[in-house]
DNA sequence: AATGAATGAGAATTCATTCAT
DNA sequence: CATGAATGAATTCTCATTCAT
């Protein structure tokens, strides 16, 4: 058994079989409605070009209600970004303490590519936030906390597989994945994500 | 002769030795002063969090004067980005029609890493612009026009060196460089740019 | 029955007697408040010399609220002008298809003079708009649509009363009324509107 | 001999025959150049939508030079309007002290219609100024000083021709001419100025 | 919980006017 | 005379946020 044995989708849908889509829809809180609209519009127009008005109209609620759920626009952005980060926590499971096998690394890479494709809206916002110094403050270093354990596990793997400089190699890997992500985001229709994935897997396993 | 035979720095400093710093300073037009301030502040605070007031105050001029030189804030941003892009044109010389040698590729990679370090302010703005959908429109596809010839040259090189899939390899290389750039930008003090550069050079030459 | 059988004032005041002034005041929407202030100030200072600030201060509301009701200053001006034009629609009833009697024409002229006096603010703005080429575009040709049926009816009347050149006579009549209006507007206290009205009535009936 | 015995054009061109067009052009001062451009642009775009920049560019001079000749934009407008008014002074000669003959009145009306056509730019500005309260202050009551003697002469004529109420008739005449002027200005191509002129002449002579 | 009218600080932009050269 | 770079007050408009209902 490994950290990657249970894909995100299974975990998420791991609810009682009698839970209908309709019921799920009903239970979906206003809060999630708002965040969904925010995610969509932030990704589409950028954070600064998305007004509270646009979000509440898209969510079909009033401006005032939004402020019942979120302290401010900044709070909403933070919530949207953290929601995305938390979803990644499952993928980047920090509790893995053993040694990563080749198969597990392959699985990890595959999962990462899957999230790039699946959560493109989140990644758009995420990179937008990264490159907006003032916005970056909002998110703070939460992301690094998540990434750190992952990078440790990876470093160990690389050390065990006789890579000369595991520290540098880890940074290299991180940069590579960021670059792939940003390139896919900018032109999802033309970027050969699948082929690039194969090349990354070959390179590391 | 090669595309890399005349580095930017030589061309730029290729002025008469008796040209004093003071003279240079005097000749530096107001336009450049404004763009310098804009570059600095856009990079530091992000485009949206930088007001015309901040720029003109930093440049030591009045708000109105800025509008004598630039039609709008958008025009100023465009000018700043294009200035940076044009500076890259020398590096990414599109006129190279022969076959790239190993030494030339090494030189190209080194130059690319140099600009990442030297023009960090430009790259910050550039990635900020890339990840702001509404801002991206402003710059348009000028950048792709520049990058296209470069990617062709690289593709040829990879083909000639028996890489299996030059097309994919080229995209991979581009993504890698983007990722390195973005990682360096986010934490210039801790990112091991020099070591990463060596790894990239080893990988490709 | 005639086009002039129901004067504006009767229609407007044709509300239930128990409707108190206070109630009317209460129901008067913010939108009308703003338009009232705009009408007053546009007439007093001219469109260009009236700022949004002045209007909202006069209306006792905030700047932002004005933009909840009107898209822009231009939109506000358009609304004010159209409101005035629509008020005239009752007077210049385009549905009259029979032949104008002498009494009806007399009534029409009297009503026209009444509106000149009563809606002096509107007419000030109207002539101001007419003589500002750039502002004229805003209002467009709405007014001509209204005036056209009126001029047709008048032309018929003149034809039936053996005027030699009804077309020219109609234009003459229009010019005369415009001139009277503009002269009254410029100096309401000294222009002998009543006597001029009598002369016009004598001239045409 | 009468007040109308010497048409404007003769008076204006009453210069030495050896004065060539070229020479005239040369002697045409910068001041007139500026006023010419201002007249044109004020009439075309309205006073508020015409900037000093537009005027000086049209005149082919620098902004600074304009301020050598005119104290302010207001001063320029005043000068343009007064120049037009002074041109009218010849037409509305205040020195006529005898009794107006029918022929003279006919001539006066004809001259008035001629100026409406010939000086359409001036009249556009003039009515624009009239209907802009703030702008009206600029011109002041200069125009009324001119008009007063004319109206006296006209009043006398009407009295001598047994009109019942010369005072009212004079105001009526003035309003009529204003209305004709404004209607012609708004649509010079379609307004039947010549036919209206004939009607006015018939009416009064 | 829900609404949306109301606020007002703050942003971009314009343009008449000045003044050193 | 002539220039046009430079100024900054004034204006329109935006939008996150509040609050009475």
């Amino acid at each position: 058994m490994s950290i990657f044995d249970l894909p995100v989708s299974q975990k998420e849908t791991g609810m009682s079989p009698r839970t209908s889509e309709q019921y799920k829809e009903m239970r979906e809180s206003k809060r999630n409605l708002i965040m969904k609209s925010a995610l969509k519009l932030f990704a589409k127009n950028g954070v600064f070009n998305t007004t509270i008005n646009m979000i509440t109209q898209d969510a079909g609620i009033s401006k005032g209600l939004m402020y019942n759920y979120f302290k401010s626009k900044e709070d909403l952005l933070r919530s949207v970004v953290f929601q995305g980060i938390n979803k990644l926590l499952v993928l980047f499971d920090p509790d893995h303490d053993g040694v990563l096998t080749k198969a597990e690394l392959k699985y990890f890479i595959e999962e990462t590519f899957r999230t790039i494709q699946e959560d493109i809206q989140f990644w758009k916002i995420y990179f937008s936030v990264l490159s907006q110094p003032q916005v970056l403050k909002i998110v703070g270093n939460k992301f690094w906390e998540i990434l750190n354990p992952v990078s440790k596990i990876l470093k160990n793997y690389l050390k065990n597989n006789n890579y000369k400089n595991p520290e540098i190699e880890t940074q290299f890997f991180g940069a590579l994945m960021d670059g792939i992500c940003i390139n896919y985001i900018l032109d999802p229709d033309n970027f050969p994500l699948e082929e690039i994935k194969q090349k990354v897997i070959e390179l590391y396993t």
Side-chain angles (χ1 to χ4, degrees), chain A:
Chain A
M1 263 322 195
S2 118
I3 50 167
F4 307 117
D5 57 354
L6 201 52
V8 176
S9 53
Q10 277 185 26
K11 280 187 179 169
E12 274 190 336
T13 57
M15 44 176 62
S16 141
R18 64 182 169 278
T19 306
S20 69
E21 272 307 301
Q22 194 187 7
Y23 179 63
K24 189 185 165 188
E25 209 53 41
M26 280 171 62
R27 275 205 30 136
E28 185 173 54
S29 71
K30 286 279 162 66
R31 199 168 202 277
N32 274 333
L33 259 185
I34 298 168
M35 286 174 73
K36 223 171 175 175
S37 293
L39 178 71
K40 184 172 78 182
L41 294 171
F42 283 162
K44 189 177 158 205
N45 310 318
V47 172
F48 280 97
N49 282 295
T50 303
T51 68
I52 296 292
N53 247 345
M54 288 160 76
I55 294 168
T56 55
Q57 266 171 38
D58 185 89
I61 59 151
S62 74
K63 239 188 294 192
L65 192 56
M66 189 262 157
Y67 281 89
N68 274 10
Y69 290 106
F70 302 92
K71 235 182 56 199
S72 62
K73 186 185 180 182
E74 191 174 307
D75 184 37
L76 173 58
L77 171 62
R78 206 185 294 115
S79 302
V80 167
V81 173
F82 283 179
Q83 191 186 47
I85 289 178
N86 285 331
K87 212 182 155 192
L88 294 182
L89 271 176
V90 180
L91 186 61
F92 299 158
D93 189 334
D95 294 337
H96 188 269
D97 46 3
V99 174
L100 213 60
T101 65
K102 261 200 174 62
E104 281 170 350
L105 181 62
K106 182 166 177 283
Y107 184 77
F108 169 70
I109 291 171
E110 277 169 344
E111 283 297 286
T112 304
F113 273 85
R114 195 184 48 70
T115 184
I116 287 174
Q117 223 167 346
E118 199 168 277
D119 304 318
I120 181 167
Q121 284 180 336
F122 164 73
W123 288 110
K124 272 187 183 177
I125 297 173
Y126 177 66
F127 277 103
S128 160
V129 164
L130 277 193
S131 38
Q132 291 283 99
Q134 300 299 323
V135 182
L136 186 51
K137 289 189 315 187
I138 296 171
V139 180
N141 53 3
K142 186 82 183 290
F143 202 72
W144 307 121
E145 292 171 17
I146 293 171
L147 236 44
N148 209 26
V150 180
S151 86
K152 268 188 194 150
I153 296 168
L154 195 63
K155 220 181 295 172
N156 268 334
Y157 172 86
L158 295 169
K159 202 189 290 176
N160 290 331
N161 282 266
N162 300 319
Y163 278 75
K164 273 182 293 189
N165 198 334
E167 176 73 43
I168 299 298
E169 291 286 342
T170 307
Q171 297 243 27
F172 183 91
F173 180 81
L176 177 60
M177 294 309 283
D178 280 349
I180 290 166
C181 191
I182 227 178
N183 272 269
Y184 174 69
I185 280 166
L186 284 175
D187 195 4
D189 295 333
N190 296 312
F191 190 78
L193 197 63
E194 189 55 36
E195 289 92 334
I196 295 284
K197 182 174 84 180
Q198 294 311 329
K199 178 159 171 61
V200 173
I201 289 173
E202 276 172 37
L203 206 59
Y204 283 96
T205 61

